Amino acid sequence: MILLDGRKTSNDIKEEIAKEVQEMKENGERVPHLAAVLVGSDGASLTYVGSKVKACERVGFESTLIQLPHTVSEVELLETIHDLNDNDEIDGFIVQLPLPKQINAQKVLLAVDPEKDVDGFHPTNFGKMALDMSTFIPATPFGILTLLERFKVETKGKHTVVIGRSHIVGRPMSILMGRKGFPGNSTVTLTHSYTKDIKAITLQADIIVTALGVPGFLTADMVNEDVVIIDVGITRVTDETKAKGYYITGDVDFENVSKKASYITPVPGGVGPMTIAMLLKNTLIARDRRSQSGK
Ligand code: GUN
């Protein structure tokens, strides 16, 4: 079994990005600038956004964190987005999800300038992804593809089963794994809450990508020998014996499934750190594109 070590791989990518930023500085060029909008103070969202900002500092990017109260109106949030769209200093930005109930998330995603949409959630970018056009690939799927690529995991002709159809992970993964090229050329099955007898399907899988958020969902009896496991689940489980009062766990019964797997991502330390590295990569791409168009 080979561990798909996202911590090490993401550190490698961050070092590569930091080198590019250093060269930009030496050439007197403006460095990439990422902004993040956080609405409210949900613990997990605060942690994610904090990690994104910290990662920017580490590679030498500029970063801006805009925190809005959970009571913010949709109009105010849309104004913030328009300001970021118009601000020439900002190369890319994200609006951390989920958003409070009073805000229509679809309206928000549509308001983001596709050229600055480093999350890749705008329909223009999502459509381009589906059509194999150059675009921003959402950070978590981009991170999974990069892990498969760097560990040279064969995907051609394999059966990839994706569990969960979220717009952030499951849906884009199902599109990307079926695209031409590497990683891709897979036969894809997208499963969800209405799928009947999911075990019968996972037992036919060469690669399983699970993005459910249900701890221990995927058990050893549901997988074949030599399966490749990508665990995207990140659930906080309350545990008073831990310093933080919780521990993080994935969708996979790691202890038992890892005995059968050829490759497997750990949680934490697998897909999570890759997501942040790929957001930085998308921001670097945004900066390059903008500088080519004279901005
Ligand atoms: N919430 C959970 N994952 C993500 C992500 O990748 N981007 C944003 N903006 N919000 C998220």
Side-chain angles (χ1 to χ4, degrees), residues 88-102:
D88 264 343
E89 303 274 300
I90 304 284
D91 296 300
F93 67 94
I94 62 156
V95 181
Q96 187 66 23
L97 302 175
L99 290 167
K101 281 196 227 53
Q102 73 274 19

Side-chain angles (χ1 to χ4, degrees), residues 48 52 94-98 119 121 140 168 275:
Y48 295 149
K52 289 170 185 178
I94 62 156
V95 181
Q96 187 66 23
L97 302 175
D119 256 335
F121 294 166
T140 302
I168 296 180
T275 297

Side-chain angles (χ1 to χ4, degrees), residues 10 17 58 60 72 86 92 103 111-112 115 117 131 136 143-145 147-148 150 157 198 226 229 234 261 289:
S10 69
I17 294 173
R58 199 178 132 193
V72 74
D86 293 343
I103 290 165
V112 176
E115 297 295 320
D117 170 38
L131 295 169
F136 298 112
I144 296 170
L145 295 187
L147 271 180
L148 293 171
R150 294 208 174 194
I198 197 159
D226 296 331
I229 300 285
I234 300 180
R289 284 196 194 153

